[in-house]
Amino acid sequence: MSTLKAVRGTRDLLPPETELWNHVESTARRIFARYNFGEIRTPIFEDTTLFARGIGEETDVVSKEMYTWEDRARAASEKAQSLTLRPENTAGVVRAYIEHKLGETGLLQKLFYIGPQFRRERPQKGRYRQFFQIGAEVIGPATAGSESPLRDAEVLEMLAAFLLELGLPPANAVAPGWRLAINSVGSAADRPRYVAALREALREIAPTMCEDCQRRADTNPLRVLDCKVPEDQPKIDALPKIADYLDDASTAHFTAVRAALDACGMAYTVNPRLVRGLDYYTRTTFEFTHDAGLGTQNALLGGGRYDGLSEMLGGPRAPGIGFAIGADRLVLTLQSQAAGSAVGSKADVFIAPVGDAQNPAALKLAQELRAQGMRVEVGDGTFRVKKSFEVADKLARKIVLLGEDEVASGVLTVKDFASGEQRKMTQVELLATAR
RNA sequence: GCGGCUAUAGUUCAGUGGCAGAACGCCGGUCUGUGGAUCCGGAUGUCGUGGGUUCAAUCCCCACUAGCCGCCCCA
């Protein structure tokens, strides 16, 4: 019989690696809290329509990468509902915003999430079919300031603070690090005008370009800008620029975002070709990449503004901006930086009963020490003392020998592995030395 | 979804058409309570799965699966 394995594109996270994951997640919670974000937890699956409408029917994510199934109808009269494992979380958050009428508070909603997402792509390093994102959204009625360029800059500054807190500095001339690229794809009105102009220009040029571009020119013209084929680059440079199609408000918005970033001393580059793959993005889009540790999958996180998404989903006007961090990629990056290598800490003490008659007393001692907050590992009385020492040295900083004498007298024999010093002490003294 | 590379011990990896190897780790060392880079000994395993060629396949061939790299796309 063949043994069962985690399915393609999924994996188990085990200690001590999970320690690093917890570090990343708790750091996100700590930093986001400083910016007054609250946590939202949305369901892991949603009505398929949510993603089709929100992300865009024609996007790759929706058209070929979703885990979708027909839910069982409970009664003959009921229609089976099409459900989908969430491929990203922004649509779900906006759905919740609409459903709970959060706009009626009149306040800006600042929400973050941490959780698994699912896309049926070909797995490779840093890309899994179940992957984890840490994301945040700032959304609310325009009267709450949700449309302000200050929000864009604040979110970007928060991301920089988060990466810095994790020990990841921005790249500079000599050292690798992260890089921030930003762009504006215009308002909901600008974007179609630009796409139309792009289509027009591509009608002539596209046949001379690479195969992929010929296809993209038809299906998703913005993607042509992303082409990496060297021969196509001059042709792409000659295409209409999004900046020339922004209306005054969008241009002013982008200028204001940059001014706020400059004020914070944030380094970034404007990349006019940075268009995100999801339909809901408007105006500001951005991406953080990292030079080291990730192969081709060098995007650490991405995001942007989505002023029209709520309305696309049937809700009130609710401009917003958000991002999603690829936690799998962030962890990979930290591991390659050795910034995350200091994991695998030891227990405070290892209790070694000598003879299995001492087992009950050992468990009682462990219970009491743990109640005082100590991290305790308990061996087994059938272990020879030599083995207890070997195991204890691997797992803990101190060993407590608990033989017949110790149990009778209540005086423990304690050896510290770092100093090699061994002495008798009471339980109270042991607690004091561990502090 | 497409192309390339890979799959051998718990781990990292050698290797051969004829009994399967190293290092690290693991277990044990003249049985009575002392670990760390000492020393001695021991076990590692359907050689990814299923077919085929052959007297004989871990090795050659085919398919499948998985991982990695690249493409597409994206976090």
Side-chain angles (χ1 to χ4, degrees):
Chain A
M1 190 165 66
S2 62
T3 54
L4 291 166
K5 297 190 297 184
V7 307
R8 185 170 169 80
T10 70
R11 63 199 178 129
D12 301 306
L13 299 173
L14 307 170
E17 194 186 358
T18 38
E19 239 177 89
L20 182 53
W21 278 81
N22 279 322
H23 172 64
V24 166
E25 291 173 6
S26 60
T27 301
R29 290 173 189 280
R30 190 171 68 251
I31 299 299
F32 295 175
R34 289 185 195 163
Y35 292 76
N36 206 31
F37 278 73
E39 182 174 4
I40 182 171
R41 301 192 187 195
T42 66
I44 226 166
F45 56 87
E46 298 263 6
D47 194 308
T48 304
T49 311
L50 173 66
F51 304 118
R53 256 202 265 167
I55 298 170
E57 215 61 82
E58 301 305 317
T59 59
D60 276 26
V61 170
V62 171
S63 65
K64 47 185 220 203
E65 295 172 1
M66 294 203 303
Y67 282 101
T68 297
W69 73 99
E70 289 291 303
D71 196 27
R72 196 171 306 170
R74 285 168 305 182
S77 58
E78 193 184 41
K79 214 178 85 186
Q81 188 180 16
S82 178
L83 302 178
T84 294
L85 290 178
R86 63 186 188 195
E88 57 98 53
N89 214 344
T90 298
V93 170
V94 175
R95 193 224 78 233
Y97 172 90
I98 297 167
E99 185 168 334
H100 301 287
K101 301 189 180 355
L102 298 181
E104 298 299 312
T105 62
L107 296 172
L108 211 51
Q109 300 297 309
K110 297 163 79 171
L111 304 165
F112 77 89
Y113 59 83
I114 296 176
Q117 319 291 338
F118 305 84
R119 282 182 210 172
R120 201 178 182 293
E121 296 178 283
R122 179 87 169 231
Q124 52 179 278
K125 193 184 189 73
R127 166 191 282 176
Y128 304 97
R129 290 181 168 185
Q130 172 174 321
F131 58 104
F132 295 85
Q133 287 188 333
I134 300 171
E137 315 291 348
V138 179
I139 182 172
T143 52
S146 60
E147 222 168 349
S148 167
L150 176 61
R151 300 280 81 84
D152 307 37
E154 186 180 30
V155 157
L156 289 167
E157 192 275 319
M158 177 170 85
L159 284 165
F162 169 62
L163 295 176
L164 225 51
E165 183 78 6
L166 283 174
L168 295 176
N172 59 40
V174 291
W178 53 261
R179 300 169 191 277
L180 165 62
I182 62 173
N183 188 30
S184 176
V185 295
S187 68
D190 301 337
R191 191 162 159 163
R193 279 214 324 273
Y194 175 62
V195 172
L198 206 53
R199 272 189 204 281
E200 183 62 33
L202 282 169
R203 189 149 44 197
E204 312 229 335
I205 307 175
T208 70
M209 301 177 78
C210 72
E211 251 180 67
D212 286 326
C213 282
Q214 298 189 26
R215 179 176 47 77
R216 293 186 193 118
D218 201 40
T219 58
N220 195 350
L222 287 174
R223 288 270 120 216
V224 173
L225 301 178
D226 255 359
C227 177
K228 291 171 190 84
V229 177
E231 298 77 51
D232 285 350
Q233 299 311 306
K235 296 167 192 165
I236 294 168
D237 288 334
L239 288 170
K241 300 275 186 297
I242 181 75
D244 298 329
Y245 288 79
L246 301 187
D247 61 25
D248 291 348
S250 289
T251 305
H253 185 96
F254 195 43
T255 304
V257 171
R258 283 181 292 172
L261 288 177
D262 293 340
C264 295
M266 293 268 300
Y268 61 88
T269 58
V270 174
N271 177 359
R273 294 183 182 183
L274 179 66
V275 291
R276 312 245 89 231
L278 312 182
D279 281 0
Y280 55 62
Y281 285 115
T282 56
R283 293 190 171 166
T284 313
T285 59
F286 57 86
E287 182 173 273
F288 283 68
T289 54
H290 201 277
D291 301 335
L294 306 164
T296 357
Q297 310 300 321
N298 71 340
L300 261 188
L301 66 95
R305 182 163 273 287
Y306 44 83
D307 293 340
L309 180 54
S310 176
E311 288 154 292
M312 284 162 67
L313 296 176
R317 175 163 162 72
I321 182 163
F323 61 82
I325 302 166
D328 306 80
R329 295 180 184 179
L330 188 53
V331 167
L332 273 175
T333 303
L334 288 170
Q335 286 169 334
S336 78
Q337 296 293 295
S341 64
V343 294
S345 59
K346 290 184 169 186
D348 296 315
V349 299
F350 181 97
I351 299 173
V354 182
D356 54 7
Q358 269 59 248
N359 272 347
L363 191 60
K364 177 169 180 286
L365 175 59
Q367 177 189 37
E368 289 166 3
L369 295 178
R370 285 166 175 156
Q372 297 298 314
M374 289 185 81
R375 184 165 149 191
V376 180
E377 185 87 45
V378 191
D380 189 272
T382 60
F383 288 1
R384 287 171 303 102
V385 172
K386 182 180 165 69
K387 182 182 168 79
S388 286
F389 266 82
E390 285 169 356
V391 175
D393 191 27
K394 282 174 193 156
L395 298 178
R397 292 197 298 271
K398 286 186 172 71
I399 184 169
V400 175
L401 277 182
L402 201 62
E404 230 173 310
D405 292 351
E406 285 87 352
V407 171
S409 66
V411 178
L412 308 171
T413 302
V414 180
K415 184 162 185 177
D416 184 287
F417 287 121
S419 66
E421 184 196 6
Q422 176 169 321
R423 60 193 195 89
K424 303 267 188 188
M425 62 177 73
T426 63
Q427 193 171 322
V428 174
E429 287 174 302
L430 173 61
L431 279 164
T433 62
R435 290 271 146 72

